Amino acid sequence: MKEPRKRIVPLFIPFLGCRSQCVFCDQRMLTGTGNAAPTAEDIRTILEKALALQPAGQKVEAAFYGGSFTALPLRQQKELLAPAQHFLATGKVTGIRLSTRPDAIEEEAVRWLKTQGVSCVELGAQSLCNSVLNAAKRGYGFSCVEKAVAVLRHAGLTVGVQLMPGLPGETRLLWQKTLQRLWKLAPDFIRLYPTVVLAGTELAGSYASGVYKPLSLAEAVERTAWALAGCQQREIGVIRMGLQDSEELHSAKLLAGPYHPAFGELVWSFLIRQQVLYGLEQLSSSACRLFYHPQDASKVRGQKNENLRQWQEAGFGEVSLQAKASLCPGSLELETVQGRRRVKLGALGAFYC
Ligand code: SF4
């Protein structure tokens, strides 16, 4: 089931509850919060400010990110939740979500979280292959993720899964294996963060010594597109592709890897490019009209008209673009000029999986 649109107010708890530092992680930089762990008062202030700017009627969720919430002592969980619960009781906040490690999910604790107003848990799984999880020193295997998803589902919570294409030891085949397992888990939504190398992490050392080679931007876009195509088919929401743009990322801390400020747009463009090529080949046609929703115009053209250029290079020189407001965003139609045949491209994601 796709997640309905809502505003998420992030409440960052950098490294809180983490049992060790994973090889790729520097949450203090990613969340832009320096070393500080927030107090309950900080959380109340952040929520108050965010809610003051909120348009009436929009759903708002308070979200604890950047650490392993359920691994914190119960007293600290209660303290952090209290301000969010206050706004939940007044109806200003419509839900509380949190991210955590799969090995910090226990049945009883999850039941308690539900009674505290938590409605959604995002699992930082990162990979679903044991060899990749071991190389990233995550300290759990796929069966642990499977169990965590089952426990959360059983408790009636919305379940998200975070994955990181390009972790050490991940091949294209192992990424496909991760996706095959993801389809079986069938979470409500996923986030995709291609692995980048941050200064001060263990991965930075492996990168400096030549042991770890990050994915190129093109490879990261392609692997993420496989995931996006599969999720589209299965109605699994994809709520983030690529790291959030931040001042810290622009500083010297980002050493290498497939970061791009418009990463998600690159992935959509790639997917559309491949779908149109596939559709034209199926229809044995070199000319067509491509209909798309107006809000998808830049994705359809690609950055600097990359898609138009690549269609031309592949021998499909006459792709004419036409916006059509009656289409759903993300849905395309292809019509050949000769035969007036029309094909919906949304289902062609099967090509990738
Ligand atoms: S990846 Fe998650 S569990 Fe690992 S150190 Fe970072 S916040 Fe903690």
Side-chain angles (χ1 to χ4, degrees):
M1 186 182 64
K2 267 186 186 163
E3 276 224 316
R5 280 204 172 275
K6 58 186 70 137
R7 178 167 177 221
I8 292 173
V9 180
L11 305 162
F12 291 114
I13 54 162
F15 284 126
L16 290 194
C18 297
R19 290 162 190 170
S20 58
Q21 188 169 344
C22 304
V23 297
F24 51 82
C25 182
D26 183 354
Q27 279 295 348
R28 283 179 283 255
M29 193 206 81
L30 292 178
T31 59
T33 52
N35 289 316
T39 62
E41 201 41 50
D42 295 333
I43 287 177
R44 178 183 299 278
T45 308
I46 296 169
L47 283 172
E48 262 168 5
K49 281 189 186 159
L51 290 168
L53 302 171
Q54 200 53 35
Q58 188 178 19
K59 290 192 167 183
V60 180
E61 284 199 2
F64 292 92
Y65 288 151
S68 305
F69 193 94
T70 56
L72 292 172
L74 200 59
R75 175 194 51 76
Q76 200 173 2
Q77 292 188 43
K78 281 181 183 169
E79 254 173 51
L80 292 169
L81 284 171
Q85 287 168 329
H86 165 76
F87 291 110
L88 192 66
T90 61
K92 290 185 177 165
V93 159
T94 51
I96 302 174
R97 64 170 64 198
L98 52 91
S99 66
T100 196
R101 296 169 54 93
D103 56 353
I105 291 291
E106 299 291 342
E107 240 175 283
E108 200 182 325
V110 167
R111 276 200 300 271
W112 175 77
L113 283 173
K114 198 163 182 214
T115 65
Q116 300 303 302
V118 174
S119 49
C120 170
V121 172
E122 298 191 27
L123 294 171
Q126 319 313 3
S127 170
L128 302 178
C129 289
N130 290 346
S131 61
V132 179
L133 290 167
N134 284 339
K137 298 192 176 165
R138 292 291 287 170
Y140 56 82
F142 170 60
S143 59
C144 174
V145 184
E146 239 180 340
K147 186 174 159 242
V149 170
V151 166
L152 293 167
R153 278 234 177 286
H154 186 68
L157 295 181
T158 300
V159 186
V161 169
Q162 300 174 6
L163 293 174
M164 295 179 62
L167 281 173
E170 183 197 271
T171 58
R172 284 164 77 91
L173 212 61
L174 287 179
W175 177 242
Q176 280 176 347
K177 188 171 168 187
T178 281
L179 293 181
Q180 295 301 335
R181 288 178 164 176
L182 180 72
W183 311 146
K184 287 194 183 127
L185 291 181
D188 297 293
F189 66 91
I190 64 166
R191 290 177 189 266
L192 294 154
Y193 296 115
T195 310
V196 295
V197 182
L198 303 175
T201 62
E202 199 176 323
L203 204 55
S206 310
Y207 171 66
S209 62
V211 171
Y212 174 69
K213 194 168 171 279
L215 296 181
S216 66
L217 182 61
E219 180 68 16
V221 164
E222 188 169 343
R223 288 191 198 184
T224 307
W226 297 348
L228 175 62
C231 285
Q232 289 282 96
Q233 277 190 303
R234 293 164 180 85
E235 300 210 326
I236 297 170
V238 180
I239 65 171
R240 179 87 213 164
M241 294 186 284
L243 287 170
Q244 199 97 37
D245 201 9
S246 73
E247 260 180 48
E248 287 77 8
L249 265 181
H250 288 296
S251 73
K253 282 274 209 163
L254 175 64
L255 299 181
Y259 171 74
H260 190 285
F263 186 81
E265 176 117 345
L266 293 184
V267 175
W268 272 111
S269 290
F270 174 86
L271 195 56
I272 289 169
R273 185 192 317 151
Q274 300 304 321
Q275 285 177 325
V276 169
L277 285 173
Y278 183 72
L280 286 172
E281 269 170 22
Q282 292 295 302
L283 296 168
S284 308
S285 173
S286 64
C288 74
R289 278 201 296 173
L290 177 63
F291 297 92
Y292 56 90
H293 187 274
Q295 90 180 35
D296 293 333
S298 62
K299 294 174 193 157
V300 168
R301 288 183 168 275
Q303 288 223 324
K304 299 183 183 157
N305 289 327
E306 177 70 9
N307 283 359
L308 294 175
R309 195 182 61 72
Q310 291 218 18
W311 289 328
Q312 216 156 36
E313 270 180 16
F316 302 115
E318 295 169 57
V319 179
S320 81
L321 304 182
Q322 202 164 321
K324 187 173 170 186
S326 60
L327 281 177
C328 295
S331 163
L332 303 174
E333 281 180 14
L334 191 62
E335 187 180 75
T336 61
V337 174
Q338 299 97 330
R340 310 289 294 175
R341 288 167 69 193
R342 185 165 293 191
V343 59
K344 282 228 177 219
L345 292 181
L348 293 181
F351 179 58
Y352 297 97
C353 306

